[in-house]
Amino acid sequence: MIERRSFGSLGGANHGWLDAKHHFSFAEYHDPARLHWGALRVWNDDTIQPGTGFPPHGHADMEIITYVREGAITHQDSLGNKGRTEAGDVQVMSAGNGIRHAEYNQEPGVTQIFQIWIFPESKGQLPSWGTKPFPKGERSGQFVALASGFEGDDDALPIRTSARVLGATLKAGETAEYRFADKERYGYLVPAKGKIDINGVALEARDGAAIHGEDVIRVTAGEDAELILVDAAA
């Protein structure tokens, strides 16, 4: 089963400094049919104006992955971590038993991010944060794990849940496959850029594809495309 969730159907709010679109219920947007997708709880598509951002606020017991689509995001938290994550790279914050952080766009132009929240498999652990650059060439024509809770994904940033956040770039006409461990897994795929076909379902840029009961997905690009996929447990 693959359900297209068009960008136009997403919830959201435009706050001026922040234009936020929500694939799942979040803040004042509530849709009982879109509370979560397996262990995937939040997928926000945020456009942040220059010189603005999220002031210090707290989180607990959530794996929070930020994929930067354009510009860069600058992070600072109550553990003393500071860092800047550029377009095409990710940062991971395991909120654990509690952390406060701030995220700002200190760039001259807008910053666009996907922020993804996944339920952890255990609560009350110590919080942590990390970021790293990922070579862009490695994800050309194939899915590459950017954040993962699975053994063997040694180059990915660690998360505390049996899930993967993967990235791929496809040239027009190229196809990439991803195989789920079993049909009970929950997948969610969003093309950050480009038009694609996923197992016969057509998606435009920033549409979502909710995937369940599939062994394999085959993604073909109708035009140059940048993809983010989450593979999560039930």
Side-chain angles (χ1 to χ4, degrees):
M1 186 280 291
I2 299 177
E3 176 196 349
R4 175 183 177 239
R5 298 182 176 180
S6 69
F7 181 74
S9 75
L10 304 182
N14 192 332
H15 303 280
W17 67 273
L18 169 69
D19 187 4
K21 298 294 184 182
H22 310 311
H23 285 261
F24 301 97
S25 294
F26 188 84
E28 296 181 2
Y29 165 61
H30 180 75
D31 182 344
R34 296 184 180 181
L35 294 177
H36 60 92
W37 191 245
L40 173 60
R41 173 60 189 89
V42 166
W43 191 311
N44 288 345
D45 181 330
D46 292 338
T47 300
I48 307 165
Q49 295 299 313
T52 69
F54 302 93
H57 59 284
H59 295 281
D61 293 322
M62 193 67 69
E63 302 300 293
I64 300 174
I65 303 99
T66 303
Y67 179 83
V68 182
R69 298 176 49 225
E70 180 180 337
I73 199 77
T74 298
H75 166 100
Q76 185 170 352
D77 64 43
S78 54
L79 300 179
N81 296 308
K82 297 180 181 179
R84 177 177 174 273
T85 304
E86 298 182 349
D89 295 330
V90 301
Q91 66 175 16
V92 167
M93 187 173 71
S94 295
N97 59 15
I99 188 171
R100 289 182 62 80
H101 77 135
E103 291 179 304
Y104 292 105
N105 174 16
Q106 297 180 348
E107 311 305 311
V110 299
T111 285
Q112 294 182 316
I113 64 173
F114 289 153
Q115 190 167 95
I116 296 162
W117 297 11
I118 307 175
F119 291 116
E121 293 186 342
S122 61
K123 296 183 177 182
Q125 298 189 51
L126 293 176
S128 66
W129 175 85
T131 187
K132 63 181 277 190
F134 287 87
K136 307 303 183 287
E138 291 183 2
R139 69 190 83 162
S140 178
Q142 64 179 347
F143 285 99
V144 171
L146 306 176
S148 176
F150 290 105
E151 292 184 8
D153 289 338
D154 298 331
D155 293 332
L157 287 165
I159 52 178
R160 299 167 181 172
T161 185
S162 59
R164 287 189 180 99
V165 179
L166 306 111
T169 57
L170 299 179
K171 297 292 187 183
E174 278 190 321
T175 297
E177 292 188 356
Y178 182 77
R179 182 174 296 275
F180 294 95
D182 59 64
K183 289 186 176 182
E184 298 306 309
R185 303 288 296 178
Y186 284 78
Y188 202 86
L189 183 145
V190 180
K193 300 175 183 176
K195 298 179 180 180
I196 64 166
D197 177 282
I198 173 173
N199 289 15
V201 177
L203 266 64
E204 304 276 343
R206 301 164 80 183
D207 289 350
I211 306 157
H212 187 59
E214 302 284 337
D215 289 319
V216 179
I217 55 170
R218 295 176 178 85
V219 183
T220 300
E223 58 191 33
D224 291 357
E226 177 185 350
L227 314 173
I228 299 297
L229 168 68
V230 169
D231 171 2

